């Protein structure tokens, strides 16, 4: 039933454009596997083999940590209405942080979202399509606004303080790069002890 492609076809791109939800999976060689649902208007297909998505502040920052050490990533999309379909994109990813020179080039592809912390570029090397006949029907009723409201209420400095306390290391204790690569490191933090 499954089919494999070396790049995204027009039909794949149309399917992705119609989705309100996608899932991101990353893993280290050892330790925890990360699987996260993503919503909002946070994904763009840039061509037949490149996808970019905007990551907003969350309770953890596993994806960024994993990508620092093992750049493999899988994105998965499911049809929750209409014809059944599961679409997976496999490839190599990298994180672009606010302090990186490319930040504006990719961040500007999106409407600004409060608490935006990274943009992930995925260079796709395999597209897999499978039937999805076991995926149930669900109805989309709208976006949740709580995360945007939380980030707006915190303000830029509050969000950055949250990054420092909650997003600096992964569940496995590995750095995520958000402190150093987002321009949050102060002179006191970088000087020898």
């Amino acid at each position: 039933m499954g089919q494999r492609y070396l790049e995204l076809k027009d039909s794949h791109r149309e399917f992705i454009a119609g989705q309100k939800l996608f899932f991101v999976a990353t893993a280290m060689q050892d330790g925890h596997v990360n699987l996260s649902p993503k919503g909002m208007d946070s994904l763009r297909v840039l061509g037949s083999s490149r996808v970019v998505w905007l990551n907003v502040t969350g309770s953890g920052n596993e994806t960024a940590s994993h990508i620092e050490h093992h750049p493999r990533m899988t994105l998965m999309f499911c049809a929750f209405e209409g014809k059944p379909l599961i679409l997976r994109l496999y490839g190599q990813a990298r994180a672009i942080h606010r302090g990186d020179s490319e930040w504006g080039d990719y961040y500007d592809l999106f409407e600004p979202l409060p608490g935006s912390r990274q943009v992930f570029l995925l260079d796709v090397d395999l597209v897999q399509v499978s039937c999805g006949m076991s995926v149930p029907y669900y109805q989309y009723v709208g976006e949740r606004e709580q995360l945007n409201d939380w980030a707006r209420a915190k303000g830029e400095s509050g969000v950055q303080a949250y990054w420092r306390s909650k997003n600096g290391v992964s569940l496995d204790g590995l750095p995520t790069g958000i402190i150093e690569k987002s321009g949050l490191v102060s002179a006191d933090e970088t000087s020898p002890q």
Side-chain angles (χ1 to χ4, degrees):
M1 289 185 193
Q3 297 174 305
R4 296 178 182 182
Y5 304 88
L6 296 179
E7 61 183 18
L8 288 158
K9 305 297 182 193
D10 289 343
S11 60
H12 304 149
R13 295 171 74 164
E14 290 170 17
F15 176 72
I16 290 170
Q19 303 310 301
K20 303 293 187 187
L21 170 69
F22 65 99
F23 299 87
V24 176
T26 57
M28 298 289 292
Q29 186 167 343
D30 297 311
H32 294 87
V33 173
N34 186 57
L35 176 61
S36 297
K38 302 295 176 183
M40 304 179 177
D41 182 23
S42 63
L43 185 128
R44 301 287 184 270
V45 177
L46 300 183
S48 62
S49 62
R50 180 168 273 187
V51 175
V52 60
W53 61 275
L54 179 62
N55 191 26
V56 295
T57 300
S59 57
N61 199 7
E62 299 303 298
T63 303
S65 177
H66 290 175
I67 294 306
E68 280 289 308
H69 303 281
H70 289 280
R72 62 191 176 180
M73 177 184 284
T74 301
L75 301 185
M76 184 180 77
F77 306 84
C78 297
F80 294 110
E81 58 186 18
K83 180 182 173 183
L85 181 68
I86 298 172
L87 176 71
R88 290 181 180 92
L89 307 179
Y90 300 90
Q92 301 294 304
R94 65 185 175 102
I96 298 173
H97 296 265
R98 290 172 163 228
D100 293 333
S101 61
E102 299 169 278
W103 170 259
D105 297 337
Y106 293 103
Y107 180 72
D108 290 347
L109 297 172
F110 302 92
E111 291 295 320
L113 290 173
S116 298
R117 63 182 175 187
Q118 294 112 354
V119 174
F120 288 97
L121 285 179
L122 176 64
D123 289 318
V124 177
D125 55 41
L126 177 64
V127 177
Q128 182 191 40
V129 176
S130 55
C131 67
M133 289 188 273
S134 67
V135 176
Y137 289 107
Y138 278 96
Q139 183 178 8
Y140 174 76
V141 296
E143 297 288 336
R144 297 178 193 259
E145 287 298 319
Q146 289 97 327
L147 186 59
N148 289 335
D149 294 343
W150 172 87
R152 283 188 199 100
K154 284 260 187 219
E156 187 70 25
S157 62
V159 168
Q160 290 181 4
Y162 184 87
W163 292 348
R164 286 179 188 278
S165 67
K166 303 287 188 184
N167 287 174
V169 295
S170 72
L171 291 171
D172 298 314
L174 297 169
T176 66
I178 195 166
I179 305 299
E180 304 81 7
K181 295 181 180 182
S182 294
L184 300 179
V185 177
S186 69
D188 294 336
E189 294 171 306
T190 58
S191 60
Q193 299 292 330

